[in-house]
Amino acid sequence: ETPRRLTFREAVDLVLAQSPDLAISEKSIAADREKLSATRALRGPKISLTGSLVYWDKALLVGAASVHDRLTGQATATAVQPLSQLAVIHHLVSLEEAGLDVARSEHQSARLEVSAQTASVYLHALQARAAQEITATSVKQVKAELERARALERGGVLQKVDAMRLEAAFAQARQAEIQATRGAGLATDQLALLLGLDPGHPLEVVDDFSDPPLPPPWTLDDARARAEKQRPALKAANARAEQARRGRKVAMADLFPSVLGLATYQHNEGAGSFQPKDAWFVGVSLSWDLWDWGRNYHKVKEAGARAEQARLAASRLVDQVNLDVRSKALDAETAFESLDTVRTGLLAAEEAYRIANSRYACDLKA
């Protein structure tokens, strides 16, 4: 099967489009969105319908008046509108909105995480392929030198020990090639798995990076300011703090009476002359737990403590993010500043290898 060529940008776009991990976090957003819609529905009146149909052994009469017929039926429609709870429902809606913000922020964090992981695995695959190519070239060179040494040995120019040294070097080079080939295959398998492809799917990573690499796009101060404004983890922490604060407001509702508005319509069939055929009423109901041994009070205190805990955690996370950004920014600057030194050393090593290889070839010919 022809390997699929994949650039760095294509790999990142592909993982964002079809990553199984991101599909899981998207379902969390969908669930929280439906939960928010269900909470918003609490603000409107709740309408219920009940009915009954009864067949008696006989009709009941009191004198000439009918108490009920042999077959009776009743249908009742009731509407209940929360009144005092509207403020509580408002806090519940805000709480669920914060929960949806948490899910979205966590999904954004997951997107960044899989993108960073894809970048790391992609670069590792490039390194593994380069190692495979280097070891393959080394095997070819040592093999050629070994064949030449054997020919010189047969001609009496070299001793057997010289050829044996090359045989040992060839065995080491071949072992290194086997390990490098295995590492390259494993790296592409890891990349395929991360992209949501079948294990073993043939991939060809493409080195299309700029040479020389571009400098880091932000200064340390710019990176810190950008992180404080856009880091999904900070947004999630602030949303959790808002959830906890609204949770305390919801818990406080149990300390006060609950007031409901009621409206009921009832229709009767076969109920005789003592009950009206149709009837309705409207009213208000109130319920209040006057004493519960402080249970609701302590629930409010607990919610307040958790709200303060969430606030402190969000504040603490700012310091941790700043430290992480500073570390990553300094690492990027250090790596970029080291490129010239590394490039100089690489060129020197290549030239030294060329000279040593030429000398060895001349020695063999001599």
Side-chain angles (χ1 to χ4, degrees):
E1 185 177 357
T2 303
R4 177 177 179 177
R5 290 176 56 85
L6 202 64
T7 65
F8 178 78
R9 171 52 57 186
E10 290 172 345
V12 174
D13 291 341
L14 187 60
V15 76
L16 292 178
Q18 61 185 38
S19 169
D21 296 329
L22 293 183
I24 294 173
S25 63
E26 286 176 351
K27 293 302 180 181
S28 178
I29 294 178
D32 285 340
R33 186 181 294 114
E34 297 300 328
K35 187 177 181 181
L36 174 60
S37 298
T39 303
R40 285 173 174 167
L42 295 175
R43 293 180 292 196
K46 180 180 179 181
I47 301 175
S48 60
L49 180 64
T50 61
S52 64
L53 188 63
V54 179
Y55 183 77
W56 302 84
D57 60 339
K58 58 184 175 181
L60 181 59
L61 300 175
V62 177
S66 173
V67 177
H68 63 72
D69 295 339
R70 194 169 186 181
L71 180 64
T72 62
Q74 184 182 79
T76 304
T78 303
V80 179
Q81 172 63 51
L83 298 178
S84 62
Q85 295 93 334
L86 288 177
V88 180
I89 294 173
H90 169 72
H91 292 301
L92 275 174
V93 170
S94 299
L95 186 151
E96 300 301 344
E97 288 175 343
L100 181 58
D101 290 339
V102 170
R104 287 170 174 166
S105 298
E106 290 178 344
H107 178 67
Q108 184 62 26
S109 294
R111 286 174 59 87
L112 294 175
E113 183 176 350
V114 298
S115 297
Q117 189 176 1
T118 301
S120 177
V121 174
Y122 189 92
L123 293 176
H124 177 65
L126 280 176
Q127 292 175 335
R129 189 187 67 181
Q132 181 184 16
E133 293 174 353
I134 292 172
T135 54
T137 302
S138 178
V139 167
K140 291 179 181 179
Q141 291 176 342
V142 176
K143 183 178 181 181
E145 293 170 358
L146 177 59
E147 292 175 350
R148 187 183 307 166
R150 286 172 176 170
L152 294 176
E153 179 191 356
R154 288 192 296 269
V157 178
L158 290 180
Q159 297 181 0
K160 183 175 180 62
V161 66
D162 296 322
M164 292 179 64
R165 292 195 190 98
L166 284 175
E167 287 176 355
F170 176 76
Q172 293 178 351
R174 185 72 183 97
Q175 181 65 24
E177 182 186 24
I178 294 173
Q179 294 294 334
T181 301
R182 177 182 178 277
L186 182 60
T188 53
D189 286 347
Q190 291 175 339
L191 182 60
L193 180 63
L194 189 62
L195 297 176
L197 304 175
D198 294 333
H201 187 92
L203 293 175
E204 180 184 353
V205 291
V206 180
D207 185 358
D208 61 343
F209 298 101
S210 60
D211 189 15
L214 298 176
W218 305 298
T219 64
L220 177 58
D221 291 337
D222 291 339
R224 184 184 296 113
R226 188 182 183 93
E228 290 182 357
K229 182 179 180 181
Q230 297 184 340
R231 188 78 170 250
L234 290 178
K235 294 181 179 180
N238 291 328
R240 290 192 186 95
E242 177 64 14
Q243 271 188 304
R245 191 179 71 85
R246 295 290 182 174
R248 181 179 180 274
K249 297 286 188 181
V250 173
M252 290 180 63
D254 292 334
L255 298 176
F256 302 98
S258 175
V259 182
L260 299 174
L262 302 173
T264 299
Y265 168 77
Q266 188 177 83
H267 177 74
N268 297 297
E269 288 290 345
S273 57
F274 290 95
Q275 291 189 16
K277 192 176 186 63
D278 295 287
W280 60 269
F281 69 85
V282 295
V284 177
S285 70
L286 182 145
S287 61
W288 192 4
D289 295 332
L290 292 178
W291 183 252
D292 60 359
W293 298 95
R295 179 176 180 272
N296 289 333
Y297 171 77
H298 291 299
K299 286 174 61 178
V300 173
K301 297 291 287 185
E302 177 194 359
R306 295 194 182 280
E308 182 65 12
Q309 179 188 29
R311 186 191 68 81
L312 293 175
S315 177
R316 179 62 174 164
L317 186 59
V318 174
D319 297 333
Q320 295 174 354
V321 167
N322 284 332
L323 178 61
D324 181 60
V325 170
R326 177 178 176 81
S327 175
K328 295 296 192 299
L330 292 177
D331 288 345
E333 291 178 359
T334 301
F336 182 75
E337 292 172 358
S338 303
L339 286 176
D340 290 338
T341 304
V342 174
R343 188 184 298 276
T344 301
L346 178 62
L347 293 176
E350 289 176 346
E351 181 63 17
Y353 175 78
R354 186 190 65 80
I355 294 174
N357 192 48
S358 299
R359 286 178 178 176
Y360 182 75
C362 292
D363 291 342
L364 290 178
K365 290 179 181 179

